[in-house]
């Protein structure tokens, strides 16, 4: 549920942890920084702040010896930035943010006046890099349900763009990957590759329009640039019986697929992104295209005193130095649904994802955080 607050956010002066920096315009994000932490120790004692700057919906990948991070764009110096890109060799010192997807390279299907390019992810396919994102469609609409009453707005669709370099510039392909078959739009594209099989996961954004939300899986062609076959629903916000998923409210989004320990896992974020209730959870699936089974130990990362996090979410996973690292954003202060430009920001964090057998079941945990009792509450 990200549609109302991203386009107005101003990017504070970029602060690279461990490097020279200027005082940001907005209050700093909480928590210990990762400055000077070796790769093998990142997140070992709990989540750490990697970047004290507005870097929403982060995705981190490693191409060669360089780490590349991408995020939803912000307005910098009065110009709209669609996709932020930064690079690092150690995950603690970052380059200045650049534009990876210039406005001139947006495809014709995107609304040029209000593109709202969100949640970028990049994968190397053959000799080129493919960027997956969502943006407002130029003509297709949906009826949203903000507090002020129904409003007809352009629908979000999932698209792809290609580049010869990881930092771009990316050029959008002419046709959305997923669009018309979802009348309320789709967001939060993520791609998992298993051999020569590509699976796109994304969110049905129906919570925009007074309905629930769901996460779907969709096959892609071998070049990653076209949808193949029908989409399959993996999870909805109200799938579980009883109160197991009440913490999700009406939102499940930001899917990430990983295969570990001989099993397939779907990580996702849930609840309202614009306050402290946003959190990260996971499911066990039979395959990247489902079916998936809800867990009773969710969420695994949420706001509480020990981590100093505020609304952590929109995660990505990357194996580094023999450990799984979980990258995500968190607020500098709880906006309580009223994000103010120049005041609120979502910073880049890292945590260590651990796998532990508990009560005969393999469970995912974020190092340094308290275990959940199933409803997001801290366990004494």
């Amino acid at each position: 549920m990200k549609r109302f607050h991203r386009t107005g956010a101003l990017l504070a002066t970029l602060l690279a942890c461990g490097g020279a920096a200027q005082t940001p315009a907005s209050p700093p994000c909480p928590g210990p920084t990762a400055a000077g932490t070796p790769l093998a120790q990142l997140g070992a004692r709990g989540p750490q702040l990697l970047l004290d700057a507005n870097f929403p919906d982060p995705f981190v990948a490693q191409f060669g010896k360089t780490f590349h991070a991408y995020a939803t764009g912000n307005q910098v110096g009065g110009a709209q930035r669609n996709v932020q890109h930064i690079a690092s060799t150690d995950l603690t010192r970052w380059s200045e943010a650049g534009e990876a997807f210039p406005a001139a390279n947006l495809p014709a299907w995107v609304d040029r006046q209000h593109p709202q390019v969100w949640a970028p992810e990049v994968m190397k396919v053959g000799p080129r890099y493919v960027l997956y994102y969502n943006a407002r469609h130029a003509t297709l609409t949906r009826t949203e349900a903000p507090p002020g009453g129904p409003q007809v707005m352009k629908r979000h669709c999932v698209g792809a763009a290609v580049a010869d370099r990881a930092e771009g510039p990316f050029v959008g392909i002419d046709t959305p990957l997923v669009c018309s078959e979802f009348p309320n739009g789709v967001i939060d594209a993520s791609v998992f590759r298993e051999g020569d099989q590509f699976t796109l996961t994304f969110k049905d954004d129906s919570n925009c329009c007074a309905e629930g939300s769901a996460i779907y899986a969709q096959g892609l062609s071998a070049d990653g640039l076209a949808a193949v076959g029908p989409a399959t629903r993996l999870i909805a916000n109200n799938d579980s019986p009883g109160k197991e998923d009440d913490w999700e409210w009406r939102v499940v989004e930001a899917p990430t697929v990983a295969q570990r320990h001989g099993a397939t896992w779907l990580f996702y974020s849930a609840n309202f992104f614009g306050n402290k209730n946003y959190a990260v959870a996971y499911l066990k699936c039979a395959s990247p295209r489902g079916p998936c089974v809800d867990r009773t130990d969710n969420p695994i990362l949420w706001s509480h005193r020990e981590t100093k996090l505020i609304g952590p979410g929109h995660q990505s996973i990357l194996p580094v130095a023999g450990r799984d690292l979980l990258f995500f954003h968190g607020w500098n202060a709880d906006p309580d649904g009223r994000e103010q430009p120049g005041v609120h920001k979502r910073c880049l964090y890292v945590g260590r994802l651990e796998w532990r057998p508990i009560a005969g079941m393999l469970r995912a945990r974020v190092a340094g955080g308290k275990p959940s009792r199933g409803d997001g509450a801290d366990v004494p």
Side-chain angles (χ1 to χ4, degrees), residues 11 14 55 69-71 73 81-87 95-101 167:
L11 180 63
L14 188 65
F55 205 73
Y70 307 84
R81 180 171 287 170
N82 293 313
V83 173
Q84 298 186 77
H85 168 267
I86 55 178
S95 65
E96 291 189 4
E99 171 63 271
F101 195 15
E167 60 268 31

Side-chain angles (χ1 to χ4, degrees), residues 5 53 199 205 352 357 359 378:
H5 303 281
T199 300
D205 201 30
R352 179 178 291 186
D378 293 352

Side-chain angles (χ1 to χ4, degrees), residues 280-349:
V280 175
Y282 74 120
L283 310 175
K284 187 176 183 180
C285 305
S287 77
R289 303 182 191 182
C292 300
V293 179
D294 208 344
R295 314 280 291 193
T296 60
D297 54 335
N298 282 320
I300 61 170
L301 183 66
W302 67 100
S303 304
H304 59 74
R305 291 185 301 276
E306 280 67 25
T307 62
K308 309 298 182 185
L309 298 175
I310 303 172
H314 206 107
Q315 72 297 318
S316 66
I317 300 170
L318 181 67
V320 176
R323 307 286 186 180
D324 278 333
L325 295 183
L326 188 78
F327 300 91
F328 56 93
H329 69 226
W331 290 99
N332 63 330
D334 183 4
D336 195 23
R338 296 180 292 273
E339 180 184 351
Q340 300 177 59
V343 176
H344 298 103
K345 61 187 176 184
R346 284 172 281 171
C347 295
L348 175 61
Y349 287 86

